[in-house]
Amino acid sequence: MTGLNACITSVAAYVPEHKLTNAMLENMVETTDEWILSRTGIKERRILKEKHLATSDMAAEAVNRLLTKRNIDPKSIDLLICGTVTPDMPFPATANLITAKCALTNAFGFDLGAACSGFLFALETGRRYIESGAYKKVIVVGADTMSSIINYEDRNTCIIFGDGAGAVLLEPTTDKSLGIQDSILRTDGEGAKFLHQKAGGSLNPASQQTIDEDMHYVYQEGKHVFKFAVTEMANVCEEIMKKNQLTNEDLDWLVPHQANLRIIEATRQQVNLDPAKVMINIEKYGNTTAATLPLCLSDWESKLKKGDKLVLTTFGGGFTWGAIYLVWAYS
Ligand code: COA
């Protein structure tokens, strides 16, 4: 132990301009604005329309904003970790492309694949590099271009997902009352069958057959995913709060993965939290997979105060889920 804690010291995000509204989806698949809103809480999502742009471009925009707002020299960044399931290409890692686009010439980088928990798992990884004393400036990115793997003829999935990117800077502090305090992370590969992308990997490399059979799109059995998510995200929040003797009064903010408003509400109810303490922006972005948490932190940054207690929690494909308890380090 070095006596160091890892603190988030800057947050930034980027979402594409183009909005895909529920009304537009009504013209694409058999659905209604009322159904989507009541079953998911989503009104619109952002879509990366420009064909020459990809996940690294959205992420680079978020990272550049992050550096500019704190006037940080790109050369001072040691490491960039990118949580994503929609890399620009299978290799090189999207993190490598981001470091080049942002002139992080002294940083190394790698991607972390944990679907909707990608940012949470990457945050825990970055935290450990900082706590070890090995590195002083680590950028953690959550970025996904879900529109690149969504079948816009499948109403079970196309209504849910959107595109976006967010990034945080992690730096060390010797004040142990600040920064990341605790984490609980979990995976269960038995859940893979309910939510996955069949083709494009070593099991089903791209072929005419994989294209003909729509195997490059997200496959989801929504009901199964919902049942698991609603139980596990709520349980892990309760567990981390109990473990750290945090009451619903103590906690200032719940930052939940934005998959479905009903899952968020069930989690809030289980820990009996005031609705005003829950960050919710699903109505305007949908589920942006690894980007949901940094998009929330960015939207709420101006309201966050030094000393605020936050629980970040996710659930996603894998299955992957977990929670991180942290104390905000700046106002
Ligand atoms: N518009 C209108 N009707 C739709 C629809 C749509 N977009 N999608 C499904 N339906 C229909 C179904 O066909 C079904 O009709 P049926 O009763 O005649 O068979 C009915 O609505 C209910 O479908 P169901 O799948 O039970 O709906 P649901 O309440 O479970 O909501 C999801 C579907 C996908 C919104 C929900 O299951 C969900 O959010 N799951 C979790 C998704 C998630 O979190 N994924 C990411 C993990 S990070």
Side-chain angles (χ1 to χ4, degrees):
M1 292 294 281
T2 58
L4 296 173
N5 267 17
C7 292
I8 293 177
T9 55
S10 189
V11 181
Y14 172 82
V15 288
E17 288 288 314
H18 181 74
K19 290 178 185 173
L20 177 61
T21 64
N22 290 353
M24 292 156 91
L25 282 165
E26 282 179 352
N27 294 323
M28 295 160 66
V29 290
E30 205 181 324
T31 192
T32 61
D33 172 46
E34 196 279 327
W35 193 95
I36 300 172
L37 197 54
S38 63
R39 304 312 290 163
T40 69
I42 303 168
K43 291 182 183 163
E44 59 190 34
R45 331 90 198 107
R46 299 302 183 97
I47 303 294
L48 190 65
K49 274 281 201 194
E50 298 80 1
K51 289 291 163 228
H52 64 287
L53 298 179
T55 299
S56 71
D57 297 291
M58 294 194 297
E61 189 62 41
V63 169
N64 280 331
R65 289 176 183 182
L66 180 91
L67 297 172
T68 308
K69 74 197 275 192
R70 284 270 324 276
N71 198 18
I72 289 170
D73 180 359
K75 291 191 181 62
S76 68
I77 303 300
D78 302 302
L79 164 64
L80 183 142
I81 311 171
C82 180
T84 189
V85 287
T86 49
D88 289 23
M89 51 190 106
F91 74 91
T94 302
N96 297 32
L97 305 173
I98 303 167
T99 54
K101 285 175 183 174
C102 298
L104 310 183
T105 47
N106 291 317
F108 74 106
F110 56 88
D111 289 358
L112 191 152
C116 295
S117 301
F119 177 81
L120 195 82
F121 285 20
L123 189 63
E124 170 72 2
T125 310
R127 165 201 181 185
R128 299 301 181 179
Y129 278 105
I130 294 280
E131 285 180 352
S132 72
Y135 303 113
K136 292 195 165 48
K137 284 188 170 57
V138 174
I139 291 178
V140 178
V141 171
D144 270 302
T145 312
M146 294 308 289
S147 62
S148 66
I149 55 168
I150 291 295
N151 179 355
Y152 285 95
E153 292 177 358
D154 174 12
R155 68 178 183 174
N156 291 305
T157 52
C158 74
I159 58 148
I160 295 173
F161 294 97
D163 302 338
V168 301
L169 179 64
L170 286 178
E171 292 183 275
T173 177
T174 52
D175 183 346
K176 299 290 278 182
S177 71
L178 297 176
I180 299 175
Q181 305 289 319
D182 197 14
S183 65
I184 303 172
L185 305 183
R186 305 244 190 269
T187 57
D188 178 1
E190 291 297 323
K193 55 183 170 289
F194 300 120
L195 180 53
H196 56 254
Q197 181 188 340
K198 284 188 175 60
S202 54
L203 182 61
N204 296 300
S207 68
Q208 192 56 52
Q209 185 200 350
T210 63
I211 293 167
D212 291 345
E213 294 180 11
D214 289 342
M215 290 164 70
H216 297 271
Y217 293 129
V218 171
Y219 171 85
Q220 172 172 270
E221 291 180 32
K223 226 175 230 159
H224 284 285
V225 178
F226 186 93
K227 272 190 208 152
F228 213 89
V230 88
T231 313
E232 296 303 343
M233 205 162 92
N235 284 349
V236 80
C237 280
E238 198 176 11
E239 192 182 340
I240 204 162
M241 286 174 70
K242 279 199 179 131
K243 198 173 154 211
N244 291 278
Q245 288 100 42
L246 278 175
T247 67
N248 55 359
E249 294 291 319
D250 300 328
L251 191 65
D252 295 292
W253 298 102
L254 180 67
V255 192
H257 174 51
Q258 313 280 306
N260 185 312
L261 191 56
R262 292 182 290 146
I263 298 173
I264 297 172
E265 177 56 16
T267 304
R268 182 196 73 75
Q269 282 181 12
Q270 186 156 329
V271 293
N272 197 17
L273 203 65
D274 180 344
K277 293 180 170 184
V278 186
M279 295 187 191
I280 298 172
N281 57 16
I282 190 172
E283 72 284 355
K284 53 181 184 170
Y285 303 135
N287 181 350
T288 54
T289 305
T292 62
L293 297 190
L295 282 177
C296 280
L297 292 175
S298 174
D299 278 359
W300 267 262
E301 189 188 20
S302 61
K303 294 196 183 77
L304 292 170
K305 294 188 298 295
K306 186 174 179 177
D308 278 358
K309 295 181 170 66
L310 282 68
V311 166
L312 281 56
T313 185
T314 58
F315 184 86
F319 291 135
T320 55
W321 69 103
I324 284 182
Y325 162 44
L326 63 85
V327 180
W328 201 248
Y330 64 99
S331 295

